[in-house]
Amino acid sequence: MERLRQDIVGWIGREIIPHEPAVRAWLKRNAPASIEAEDILQEAYCRLSDLETVEQISNPRAYFFSVARNLLLNAIRHARVIRISSITDLELDTLDDGQPSPERVVAGRRELERVRVLLASLPERCRRIIEMRKVEGLSQREIAERLNVTENVVENNVSRGLRFLSKAVSEDPLATSRTPGKDHDRTKNRQSHP
């Protein structure tokens, strides 16, 4: 086991590290300001060092770029997704006695009801997937298995649904009376034909 680990470390030194400047430059050109290229590089090295074997990697440079690209895409997705719990967990300011003011309680209840109405306005499968992912805490794989859909379908529904909820919550309070936009209507139509 130790010998295999040494082989992988040696492989990283020979085949990966020489390409670090090119990957770093690519990350700096393509990563949004909110994502540090160094963080992506560090995570890429962690992923590479966790490999059990490198025999299947015929082009280490391309593999390194691919790992960095996938990590960057995941970081971008994660930065864009707003957790449903952050929308519904209303952090109410408290008075000295530790209790929220009556005004904050009323405002919090209104906001929570607004989120519930918005959530209910989503297409059925999209709403159910968001509830399973963000409320029940299930993984994409578990949801996909339970609903007999692909993980891609789960990811796309979560992304679209949360994007709609985030936009609607940030709009005026009358937004709860609106139905989701055309994107959600198309989603609804697509969902009825898996």
Side-chain angles (χ1 to χ4, degrees):
M1 184 69 171
E2 184 61 32
R3 176 78 177 126
L4 182 60
R5 193 64 24 221
Q6 289 174 350
D7 289 345
I8 291 174
V9 169
W11 177 84
I12 290 172
R14 282 186 320 277
E15 303 292 336
I16 298 297
I17 291 178
H19 304 294
E20 183 180 319
V23 172
R24 177 180 279 113
W26 180 84
L27 284 168
K28 287 184 178 183
R29 281 192 313 272
N30 292 289
S34 62
I35 298 173
E36 292 289 328
E38 293 302 316
D39 292 341
I40 300 296
L41 276 171
Q42 287 300 317
E43 183 62 25
Y45 279 119
C46 288
R47 297 279 172 96
L48 291 168
S49 67
D50 285 343
L51 292 173
E52 292 184 20
T53 181
V54 293
E55 293 171 1
Q56 76 282 6
I57 302 172
S58 60
N59 186 340
R61 182 180 194 277
Y63 190 81
F64 189 25
F65 269 93
S66 179
V67 168
R69 181 183 149 278
N70 289 338
L71 289 169
L72 177 60
L73 290 174
N74 285 340
I76 290 169
R77 277 189 213 110
H78 182 71
R80 288 183 181 165
V81 172
I82 297 175
R83 294 176 49 97
I84 191 74
S85 59
S86 68
I87 295 173
T88 58
D89 290 346
L90 302 173
E91 296 178 5
L92 302 174
D93 292 334
T94 57
L95 302 174
D96 289 336
D97 65 357
Q99 298 297 316
S101 70
E103 295 84 11
R104 295 293 291 162
V105 170
V106 169
R109 286 183 182 150
R110 283 185 189 148
E111 191 67 16
L112 183 58
E113 182 56 30
R114 187 168 164 232
V115 170
R116 285 186 181 135
V117 168
L118 288 168
L119 191 57
S121 72
L122 291 172
E124 177 63 25
R125 184 168 72 183
C126 183
R127 180 192 57 74
R128 184 65 188 126
I129 287 173
I130 288 175
E131 288 174 344
M132 292 170 83
R133 182 77 173 121
K134 299 301 180 182
V135 177
E136 297 172 28
L138 298 176
S139 71
Q140 284 185 188
R141 177 175 286 146
E142 291 171 318
I143 296 168
E145 288 172 0
R146 286 189 184 186
L147 298 180
N148 198 25
V149 297
T150 66
E151 286 186 56
N152 243 1
V153 168
V154 173
E155 184 176 344
N156 289 337
N157 276 266
V158 169
S159 178
R160 280 189 205 108
L162 291 180
R163 201 170 31 245
F164 166 75
L165 290 173
S166 175
K167 182 178 177 188
V169 165
S170 67
E171 290 177 351
D172 61 84
L174 299 176
T176 56
S177 63
R178 297 182 201 135
T179 57
K182 289 182 180 178
D183 286 343
H184 287 282
D185 292 338
R186 283 195 312 256
T187 302
K188 192 175 208 175
N189 291 337
R190 270 188 261 138
Q191 289 173 357
S192 62
H193 307 294

